[in-house]
Each structure stands twice: as structure tokens, then as C-alpha cells.
Coordinates of all heavy atoms in Angstrom, one line a residue:
S1 N 14.5 99.7 177.8 CA 15.5 100.2 177.0 C 16.6 99.1 176.6 O 17.2 99.1 175.6 CB 16.2 101.5 177.6 OG 16.8 101.1 178.8
K2 N 16.8 98.3 177.6 CA 17.8 97.2 177.5 C 17.3 96.2 176.4 O 18.1 95.7 175.5 CB 18.1 96.4 178.7 CG 18.8 97.2 179.8 CD 19.1 96.4 181.0 CE 19.9 97.2 182.0 NZ 20.2 96.4 183.3
I3 N 16.0 95.9 176.3 CA 15.5 95.0 175.4 C 15.5 95.6 174.0 O 15.9 95.0 173.0 CB 14.0 94.7 175.7 CG1 13.9 94.0 177.0 CG2 13.3 93.9 174.6 CD1 12.5 93.7 177.5
I4 N 15.2 96.9 173.8 CA 15.3 97.6 172.5 C 16.8 97.6 172.0 O 17.0 97.4 170.9 CB 14.8 99.1 172.7 CG1 13.3 99.0 173.0 CG2 15.0 99.8 171.4 CD1 12.7 100.4 173.3
S5 N 17.7 97.9 173.0 CA 19.1 97.9 172.6 C 19.5 96.6 172.1 O 20.3 96.4 171.2 CB 19.9 98.4 173.8 OG 21.3 98.3 173.5
K6 N 19.1 95.5 172.8 CA 19.4 94.1 172.4 C 18.9 93.8 171.1 O 19.6 93.2 170.2 CB 18.9 93.1 173.5 CG 19.3 91.7 173.2 CD 18.8 90.8 174.4 CE 19.3 89.4 174.1 NZ 18.8 88.5 175.2
N7 N 17.7 94.2 170.8 CA 17.0 93.9 169.5 C 17.8 94.6 168.4 O 17.9 94.1 167.3 CB 15.6 94.4 169.5 CG 14.7 93.5 170.3 OD1 15.1 92.3 170.6 ND2 13.6 94.0 170.8
K8 N 18.3 95.9 168.7 CA 19.0 96.6 167.7 C 20.3 95.9 167.3 O 20.7 95.9 166.1 CB 19.3 98.0 168.2 CG 18.1 99.0 168.1 CD 18.5 100.4 168.6 CE 17.3 101.4 168.5 NZ 17.7 102.7 168.9
I9 N 20.9 95.4 168.4 CA 22.2 94.6 168.1 C 22.0 93.4 167.3 O 22.7 93.1 166.3 CB 22.8 94.2 169.5 CG1 23.3 95.5 170.3 CG2 24.0 93.3 169.3 CD1 23.7 95.2 171.7
I10 N 20.9 92.7 167.6 CA 20.6 91.5 166.8 C 20.3 91.8 165.4 O 20.7 91.2 164.4 CB 19.4 90.7 167.4 CG1 19.8 90.2 168.8 CG2 18.9 89.6 166.5 CD1 18.6 89.6 169.6
L11 N 19.5 92.9 165.2 CA 19.1 93.4 163.8 C 20.4 93.8 163.0 O 20.5 93.5 161.9 CB 18.2 94.5 163.9 CG 17.6 95.1 162.6 CD1 16.9 94.0 161.8 CD2 16.7 96.3 162.8
T12 N 21.3 94.5 163.7 CA 22.5 94.9 163.1 C 23.4 93.7 162.6 O 23.9 93.7 161.5 CB 23.3 95.8 164.0 OG1 22.6 96.9 164.5 CG2 24.6 96.3 163.4
L13 N 23.4 92.7 163.5 CA 24.2 91.5 163.1 C 23.6 90.8 161.9 O 24.3 90.3 161.1 CB 24.2 90.6 164.4 CG 25.1 91.0 165.5 CD1 24.9 90.1 166.7 CD2 26.6 91.0 165.1
L14 N 22.3 90.7 161.9 CA 21.5 90.1 160.8 C 21.8 90.8 159.5 O 22.1 90.1 158.4 CB 20.1 90.0 161.1 CG 19.6 89.0 162.2 CD1 18.1 89.1 162.4 CD2 20.0 87.5 161.7
I15 N 21.8 92.1 159.5 CA 22.0 92.9 158.3 C 23.4 92.7 157.8 O 23.7 92.6 156.6 CB 21.7 94.4 158.6 CG1 20.2 94.6 158.8 CG2 22.1 95.2 157.4 CD1 19.8 96.0 159.2
T16 N 24.4 92.7 158.8 CA 25.8 92.5 158.5 C 26.0 91.1 157.8 O 26.7 91.0 156.8 CB 26.6 92.6 159.7 OG1 26.4 93.9 160.3 CG2 28.1 92.5 159.4
L17 N 25.4 90.1 158.3 CA 25.5 88.7 157.8 C 24.9 88.7 156.4 O 25.5 88.1 155.5 CB 24.8 87.7 158.7 CG 25.5 87.4 160.0 CD1 24.7 86.5 160.9 CD2 26.9 86.7 159.7
L18 N 23.8 89.3 156.2 CA 23.1 89.3 154.9 C 23.9 90.0 153.8 O 24.1 89.5 152.8 CB 21.7 90.0 155.1 CG 20.8 90.1 153.8 CD1 20.6 88.6 153.3 CD2 19.6 90.8 154.0
I19 N 24.5 91.2 154.2 CA 25.3 91.9 153.3 C 26.6 91.1 152.9 O 27.0 91.2 151.7 CB 25.7 93.3 153.9 CG1 24.5 94.2 154.1 CG2 26.8 94.0 153.1 CD1 24.8 95.5 154.8
S20 N 27.1 90.5 153.9 CA 28.3 89.6 153.5 C 28.0 88.4 152.7 O 28.8 87.9 152.0 CB 29.0 89.3 154.9 OG 28.2 88.4 155.6
Y21 N 26.7 88.0 152.9 CA 26.4 86.8 152.1 C 26.0 87.0 150.7 O 26.1 86.1 149.8 CB 25.2 86.1 152.9 CG 24.9 84.7 152.4 CD1 25.9 83.7 152.5 CD2 23.6 84.3 152.0 CE1 25.6 82.4 152.1 CE2 23.3 83.0 151.6 CZ 24.3 82.1 151.7 OH 24.0 80.8 151.2
I22 N 25.5 88.2 150.4 CA 25.0 88.5 149.0 C 26.1 88.3 148.0 O 25.9 87.7 146.9 CB 24.5 90.0 149.0 CG1 23.1 90.0 149.7 CG2 24.4 90.5 147.5 CD1 22.5 91.4 149.8
P23 N 27.4 88.8 148.2 CA 28.4 88.6 147.2 C 28.6 87.1 146.9 O 28.9 86.7 145.8 CB 29.6 89.2 147.8 CG 29.1 90.2 148.7 CD 27.9 89.6 149.3
I24 N 28.5 86.2 147.9 CA 28.7 84.8 147.8 C 27.6 84.3 146.9 O 27.9 83.4 146.0 CB 28.7 84.1 149.1 CG1 29.8 84.6 150.0 CG2 28.8 82.5 148.9 CD1 29.8 84.0 151.4

């Protein structure tokens, strides 16, 4: 469960970075 939770956090961070990069 810790691995799945860690993967979710990484995925969330990547999506956040992507969304912030699109306007640029």
C-alpha cells in the first residue's frame, strides 16, 4: 500500500507540473 501511495504522489506531482507548464 505504501508503494501504491508513493506512486500516486509522484503521478499527482507530474500532472501538476504538466498543467502549470501548458500555459507557458
